[in-house]
Amino acid sequence: MSIPNGLTTGTWTLDSSHSEIGFTVRHAGISKVRGTFDNVDAVINVADNIESSGVQATVKTESFNSKDANRDAHVKGPDFFDIEQFPEMTFTSTSVSGSGETYVLSGDLTIRGVTKPVEFDTEFNGVAVDPFGATRAGFSAQTVISRKDFGLTYNAALEAGGVLIGDKVTISVDAAFVAPSA
């Protein structure tokens, strides 16, 4: 299957200043907490056909940011990411399928040294040339994981029943990639 219209073959590099890697998790059963990772490196290797293309991403866990310093310190500590022992999370794609604007990006996600297969529902948002002459491609992707599957088991019981932190975590990606230099 051919690559999306506007993409060219080669290695496209993440433009982190125009991208966001984030998550959402249920808190106290009544609200959702959101956060982002501010230090991410990723590339898309675009081949002549979509099935031979792939993605590799590395997230620095110390860059976790939920806009609450106390929560950030706790999440970076041993109860969650344990950034001293596990400074990175990674994703390496194993397959890409779909066409047009809608794709499924399958791959191996590693958090806290635990690797599990995941599927991202992915949308190709198109290609544009910016005012400075750089060719950019945009993508949005989302998946839901069980944090317990990755060894993120910390929780606390609530007085009214239930637990403080939900198990299901939605990972959302809004990414801009820059085309390889000619």
Side-chain angles (χ1 to χ4, degrees):
M1 187 170 303
S2 64
I3 58 177
N5 195 20
L7 282 181
T8 55
T9 59
T11 301
W12 293 62
T13 306
L14 181 72
D15 175 359
S16 59
S17 66
H18 294 99
S19 301
E20 182 175 274
I21 313 307
F23 76 92
T24 306
V25 65
R26 178 95 32 213
H27 181 262
I30 60 168
S31 65
K32 292 182 180 179
V33 169
R34 290 169 173 75
T36 59
F37 293 91
D38 298 331
N39 189 343
V40 180
D41 291 315
V43 294
I44 297 176
N45 295 304
V46 179
D48 287 330
N49 62 64
I50 197 67
E51 293 85 4
S52 298
S53 298
V55 175
Q56 291 139 356
T58 301
V59 174
K60 300 292 186 186
T61 53
E62 56 79 23
S63 72
F64 172 79
N65 181 358
S66 70
K67 300 180 183 173
D68 181 290
N70 289 330
R71 177 174 41 235
D72 292 355
H74 186 205
V75 171
K76 291 176 186 181
D79 285 339
F80 290 97
F81 289 129
D82 195 358
I83 66 170
E84 296 299 321
Q85 187 172 351
F86 303 103
E88 297 178 341
M89 295 186 292
T90 61
F91 175 79
T92 302
S93 65
T94 55
S95 69
V96 183
S97 61
S99 63
E101 296 177 356
T102 306
Y103 296 85
V104 175
L105 178 64
S106 301
D108 294 324
L109 177 63
T110 302
I111 303 172
R112 282 185 63 108
V114 176
T115 302
K116 297 284 183 181
V118 298
E119 290 186 344
F120 280 89
D121 294 325
T122 305
E123 182 179 356
F124 172 61
N125 299 322
V127 173
V129 177
D130 70 19
F132 308 102
T135 301
R136 299 172 177 277
F139 297 88
S140 299
Q142 190 171 72
T143 192
V144 177
I145 64 168
S146 163
R147 65 185 182 86
K148 292 176 186 173
D149 286 350
F150 293 91
L152 300 166
T153 58
Y154 172 84
N155 223 328
L158 297 174
E159 188 175 305
V163 291
L164 183 63
I165 307 164
D167 180 49
K168 299 299 179 194
V169 178
T170 301
I171 300 171
S172 300
V173 177
D174 286 301
F177 287 85
V178 179
S181 299

